[in-house]
Amino acid sequence: GGAMKLKQLTALWLLVPGLSLGTAWAAESNWPMEPMTPDLENLPSLQNGFKLYVNYCIGCHSLQYQRYERTADDLGIPHEVALENLVFTGQKIGDLMTTSMDPEQAKTWFGAPPPDLTMVARVRSPEWLYNYLKTFYLDEGRPFGVNTGVFANVGMPNVLMHLQGVQELECAQTDAPCSNLVVREGSGTLSADEFSEVAYDLSNFLYYTGEPSRLERQRLGVFVLLFLVVLFVVTNLLAREYRKEVKH
């Protein structure tokens, strides 16, 4: 319906802390980052990140250098399952993951068309994305009523608030930097650990899309190492036979 479409149209604005890539990536953050290590071998995480992206993000943000087919193949998802559950734009399995949002309408709504996010994890880092997703808090002085610890004065809505809950920044009356975020009890549908998984899976998926061949290289590397081990054993045995012949 209209509400769901609007939700998809605004969803991943929370992933981009500015109205253009130029302004979005310009500022550095002094926020104490929570560690996040991506894992391309964790297929359930990548699959869930893919699902989260197409449900919350692609209405606004494309992955214009990534194809549904390549993504499904890399993540072990059958094409028919991907088409039924992950392609909502009427596209074919071989198409690029583009948004259906009209650029002119986007400019009217948000001030600028939402940027493509294929390379966002390479421009920033998966750790930065993870912390960005987790540090939204109420700020009545902002246009959308929220701010974020990682990117001050963010101009994006926090559309994942219904999952995480209403988060507030609670600070003592001192001049020291404040990073104490507290979620109102019962205000979100997920626990803190469950929302951390959501943030992790989305960040992990965007890490994958930044360089899909990285996943292929890692898998290929395992086979290369196994081949070298077998080759070492065979070479050793052959060398022993040659030494026996030399002695005789």
Side-chain angles (χ1 to χ4, degrees), residues 23 26 37 72 95 106-107 138 148:
T23 58
T37 303
D95 289 344
K107 188 174 181 178
L138 290 182
T148 179

Side-chain angles (χ1 to χ4, degrees), residues 10 16 47-48 53 57 73 80 92 98 192 199 210 228 239 243:
T10 58
V16 182
Q47 290 168 355
N48 190 48
Y53 193 91
C57 312
D73 290 344
E80 60 273 14
K92 298 177 181 179
T98 55
L228 291 175
R243 284 194 294 268

Side-chain angles (χ1 to χ4, degrees), residues 163 189-201:
L163 299 177
T189 59
L190 301 180
S191 68
D193 288 342
E194 289 170 337
F195 185 76
S196 291
E197 290 183 10
V198 166
Y200 180 92
D201 292 347

Side-chain angles (χ1 to χ4, degrees), residues 41-59:
E41 296 301 320
N42 189 344
L43 286 184
S45 168
L46 294 171
Q47 290 168 355
N48 190 48
F50 186 15
K51 181 184 73 173
L52 289 165
Y53 193 91
V54 298
N55 277 279
Y56 286 94
C57 312
I58 203 167

Side-chain angles (χ1 to χ4, degrees), residues 35-184:
M36 182 275 185
T37 303
D39 181 5
L40 294 181
E41 296 301 320
N42 189 344
L43 286 184
S45 168
L46 294 171
Q47 290 168 355
N48 190 48
F50 186 15
K51 181 184 73 173
L52 289 165
Y53 193 91
V54 298
N55 277 279
Y56 286 94
C57 312
I58 203 167
C60 282
H61 295 272
S62 63
L63 294 173
Q64 63 180 353
Y65 305 108
Q66 187 76 13
R67 294 186 185 275
Y68 287 103
E69 184 175 27
R70 169 67 185 269
T71 307
D73 290 344
D74 283 349
L75 305 189
I77 303 172
H79 289 183
E80 60 273 14
V81 174
L83 280 170
E84 183 176 352
N85 298 283
L86 299 170
V87 183
F88 304 141
T89 56
Q91 293 174 288
K92 298 177 181 179
I93 192 67
D95 289 344
L96 293 165
M97 296 174 63
T98 55
T99 178
S100 58
M101 175 181 283
D102 180 73
E104 291 303 317
Q105 288 184 323
K107 188 174 181 178
T108 301
W109 295 332
F110 302 113
D116 179 84
L117 294 182
T118 312
M119 306 291 287
V120 64
R122 295 185 66 178
V123 175
R124 277 297 189 176
S125 72
E127 180 184 77
W128 190 93
L129 289 172
Y130 175 73
N131 283 271
Y132 182 77
L133 285 167
K134 293 190 65 178
T135 59
F136 272 85
Y137 61 89
L138 290 182
D139 184 348
E140 299 300 333
R142 300 303 303 154
F144 289 100
V146 292
N147 212 327
T148 179
V150 170
F151 193 94
N153 299 324
V154 66
M156 308 299 158
N158 181 12
V159 296
L160 295 185
M161 186 183 292
H162 69 289
L163 299 177
Q164 182 185 29
V166 179
Q167 189 163 234
E168 297 174 294
L169 186 64
E170 295 187 356
C171 302
Q173 298 300 316
T174 67
D175 295 330
C178 176
S179 59
N180 184 34
L181 294 172
V182 179
V183 177
R184 290 179 187 172

